[in-house]
Amino acid sequence: MPLTIGQVATAADVNIQTIRYYERRGLFPTPRRTPAGYRQYADDAVARLRFIKHAQELGFSLKEIQELLGLRVRHGAACDAVERKTREKIELVQERIRDLHRMKRTLERLAAACAARQPTDDCPILEALEDHGDVDH
Amino acid sequence: MPLTIGQVATAADVNIQTIRYYERRGLFPTPRRTPAGYRQYADDAVARLRFIKHAQELGFSLKEIQELLGLRVRHGAACDAVERKTREKIELVQERIRDLHRMKRTLERLAAACAARQPTDDCPILEALEDHGDVDH
DNA sequence: TTACACTATGTACCTAGGTACATGGTCAAG
DNA sequence: CTTGACCATGTACCTAGGTACATAGTGTAA
């Protein structure tokens, strides 16, 4: 039994307008309609919305998310391409993780220095930041 | 020898307007001025800009970055507070890393399934997404 | 001393990602 | 058969994070 846009919105905890916005943007397939023009969604629409929100929190843009979701569409014959694109995204994610690890180490150095309360009274965050910023970018 | 805004902008590869924007936003301290009103920066301004850009790539908002940078300012007496705030940020970064790891595993599962080219012809990305989205949020 | 690159301020504009509002149709309950 | 909660479209507006433009002062090199 299909869901209305309001039910989907409530289940995924997003605004109705947002769903329509995603549809316009192409992140959401145009759904079937009732004779009266009401949108009808299957349950996976909720999962899709949750994925979008989650991916956004991880810093992916809607465009990137659209690509991620698009991987599903062209399957079968285009499976090679799907795999390639997926591996690219994995690389991207891996890089982001590495960067965050560096950021974490920077912060840990700061916290440690702070805890040691050095007699110099000079909190080393700026030097830490320079180290951080120059590691590889 | 102090740098002009243009020199800083060039060195850090950002727009001049962006530096002034950051100043308005409070991310950048108001610099000393020449008698004519020209802003004068020390070398660390460049490091600061690079840090901001880097933190942004990691998904921090300007507000969060402002907080990160602010940790340096209230040092000495407020060192406890600095350490507490820093540890909070570390927690946040750690969480982001965990999320990205989950995202990566999701993508890896997809790539693997794709490589195996299952006879069912059904690329499992949506199920993968549901798993992903429901792990702990 | 004039030309040109640079700086200043203020205001306007832009993209991304929504959110709200106005207006009107739909449908189920009473 | 009306009322209230939904849905539709279209357009306007909002925040974040810039970027551009107009206008005017500065500084240096020919």
Side-chain angles (χ1 to χ4, degrees):
Chain A
M1 186 201 173
L3 304 168
T4 65
I5 193 169
Q7 290 168 327
V8 172
T10 300
D13 194 29
V14 302
N15 197 303
I16 287 182
Q17 317 280 10
T18 302
I19 297 176
R20 293 203 269 249
Y21 173 67
Y22 287 168
E23 190 180 317
R24 280 203 299 289
R25 288 277 313 240
L27 272 96
F28 240 71
T30 61
R32 272 170 301 112
R33 302 288 188 121
T34 67
Y38 285 26
R39 288 170 178 81
Q40 291 185 298
Y41 296 96
D43 289 8
D44 63 358
V46 177
R48 200 180 179 94
L49 280 175
R50 284 210 259 259
F51 176 76
I52 293 172
K53 286 182 64 183
H54 195 77
Q56 278 188 303
E57 282 166 23
L58 297 184
F60 290 96
S61 68
L62 289 186
K63 196 152 166 299
E64 287 174 314
I65 294 168
Q66 194 167 350
E67 281 172 35
L68 285 171
L69 288 167
L71 295 179
R72 186 183 62 100
V73 172
R74 300 175 304 284
H75 62 312
C79 220
D80 287 1
V82 173
E83 197 192 340
R84 224 179 318 107
K85 212 125 180 45
T86 306
R87 300 244 177 255
E88 276 171 32
K89 288 293 174 192
I90 289 171
E91 234 346 279
L92 198 150
V93 169
Q94 185 55 60
E95 218 171 278
R96 227 185 268 252
I97 289 171
R98 272 196 296 273
D99 282 353
L100 282 171
H101 272 300
R102 292 203 288 109
M103 167 69 84
K104 193 183 160 210
R105 276 197 299 279
T106 298
L107 290 172
E108 275 165 352
R109 237 180 304 144
L110 170 62
C114 233
R117 190 103 45 138
Q118 291 148 332
T120 62
D121 185 61
D122 113 273
C123 235
I125 198 174
L126 259 193
E127 304 92 87
L129 300 189
E130 295 200 57
D131 290 358
H132 179 77
D134 291 343
V135 171
D136 68 27
H137 287 9
Chain B
M1 188 201 173
L3 304 168
T4 66
I5 193 168
Q7 290 169 328
V8 172
T10 300
D13 193 30
V14 301
N15 197 301
I16 287 183
Q17 318 280 10
T18 302
I19 298 177
R20 294 203 268 251
Y21 172 67
Y22 287 169
E23 189 180 317
R24 280 202 299 289
R25 290 275 314 238
L27 272 96
F28 239 72
T30 61
R32 271 168 302 112
R33 303 288 189 119
T34 66
Y38 284 27
R39 289 171 180 79
Q40 290 185 299
Y41 297 95
D43 290 7
D44 63 358
V46 177
R48 199 181 180 95
L49 279 175
R50 282 210 260 258
F51 175 76
I52 293 172
K53 286 182 63 183
H54 194 76
Q56 278 188 304
E57 281 167 23
L58 298 183
F60 291 95
S61 67
L62 289 187
K63 198 154 164 295
E64 287 174 314
I65 294 168
Q66 195 167 351
E67 281 172 36
L68 284 172
L69 288 168
L71 295 180
R72 186 183 62 99
V73 173
R74 297 174 306 286
H75 62 314
C79 220
D80 288 1
V82 173
E83 199 193 338
R84 225 179 318 107
K85 211 125 182 44
T86 305
R87 300 244 177 255
E88 277 171 32
K89 287 294 173 193
I90 290 171
E91 234 346 278
L92 199 151
V93 169
Q94 186 54 60
E95 217 171 278
R96 225 185 270 252
I97 289 172
R98 271 195 298 273
D99 282 353
L100 283 171
H101 271 301
R102 292 203 288 110
M103 168 69 87
K104 191 182 162 209
R105 276 196 300 279
T106 298
L107 290 173
E108 274 164 352
R109 235 181 306 145
L110 171 63
C114 232
R117 191 103 46 138
Q118 290 147 332
T120 61
D121 187 60
D122 112 275
C123 236
I125 197 174
L126 258 193
E127 305 91 86
L129 300 191
E130 295 200 57
D131 290 357
H132 180 77
D134 291 344
V135 170
D136 67 28
H137 288 10

